[in-house]
Amino acid sequence: MPNLKTAAVHTMTNKPWALAECCDAYVNAGIGGISVWRNVIEPIGITEAAKIVRGSGLKVPALVRGGFFPGFEPPVRDAAIDDNKRCIDEAAAIGAEMVVLVVGAVVGMSLEDARKQVAEGISRVIDHAAANKVKLAIEPLHPMYAADRSCINRMKEARLCCEQVQSPWLGIACDVYHVWWDPDLEREIALAGANGTLFGFHVCDWRANTRDLLNDRGLMGEGCIDIKMIRSWVEHAGFKGLNEIEIFSTEKWALDQNSYLEQIKRAYVEHV
Ligand code: ZN
């Protein structure tokens, strides 16, 4: 049974809360860490955000998110490089261990070409990441997002990209929501562990009757993912990081967030 100190919560999970409210609530709940989404930094600025996060004493596995590298025109790709460098700077400022990359995909571009541009884009920012001591973690996204959000949909494609770029600063964030269905998941998790590229582990659940492709994630235990089994694979692979709770849900955002956090704590202890 996992201790809450082994958990981090993504600020997006409690979307109605500002950054300071998230920090206070997670500290009071005895949760170990926080992964920060850029939308909560934007209204207050990075200096204030860094003060709040660092002052909380919470561990910070991730800043979410960078990526979106592919584009038909070079200026689009250059703009993505600039934005990713800014994202790395923000991660360094708040003390985040990694930036999560949602790598991008473009309607009308083949997935193969998009993957080439992703590897190219990551290669252009990896030195900046290393200089700032911030890791970059490719998050494979469920294939339902292959058209316009991510041309990397399985752990395997993420591994191939890591093999191309060849940097100790590049690895993978494994989110059960996106990869639970992959028949090669156990093997790929073991490989990532062996390669030293298993940087992040995200948990939530897949509702069998999903009503929205983006904002209808389930709380752990509400869906069909065997999270305990996947966590055992991740631990067996040598993962020592925090288990990040990341739930986008219109339904949950409408709840009183304090009582929802109580539900999250129970779900973590019982189902992760
Ligand atoms: Zn995730």
Side-chain angles (χ1 to χ4, degrees), residues 139 175 202 246:
E139 178 163 328
D175 186 328
H202 301 180
E246 183 190 32

Side-chain angles (χ1 to χ4, degrees), residues 10 100 139 173 175 178 202 217 246 248:
H10 279 235
V100 170
E139 178 163 328
D175 186 328
H178 297 298
H202 301 180
R217 291 188 180 204
E246 183 190 32
F248 323 135

Side-chain angles (χ1 to χ4, degrees), residues 156-234:
K156 181 183 175 185
E157 280 74 43
R159 170 168 58 81
L160 293 176
C161 188
C162 291
E163 287 171 3
Q164 253 180 290
V165 176
Q166 282 291 332
S167 163
W169 296 95
L170 181 63
I172 303 170
C174 172
D175 186 328
V176 300
Y177 185 76
H178 297 298
V179 298
W180 66 276
W181 53 273
D182 181 353
D184 294 326
L185 185 59
E186 183 178 10
R187 177 174 168 270
E188 289 293 336
I189 286 173
L191 273 174
N195 296 338
T197 54
L198 189 54
F199 288 177
F201 181 53
H202 301 180
V203 296
C204 66
D205 214 335
W206 180 279
R207 294 166 43 84
N209 57 341
T210 288
R211 297 160 295 190
D212 183 278
L213 297 187
L214 199 58
N215 295 324
D216 195 29
R217 291 188 180 204
L219 194 54
M220 297 76 76
E222 285 182 344
C224 54
I225 304 178
D226 192 338
I227 304 170
K228 281 183 197 286
M229 184 174 69
I230 301 176
R231 186 173 75 106
S232 76
W233 296 343
V234 163

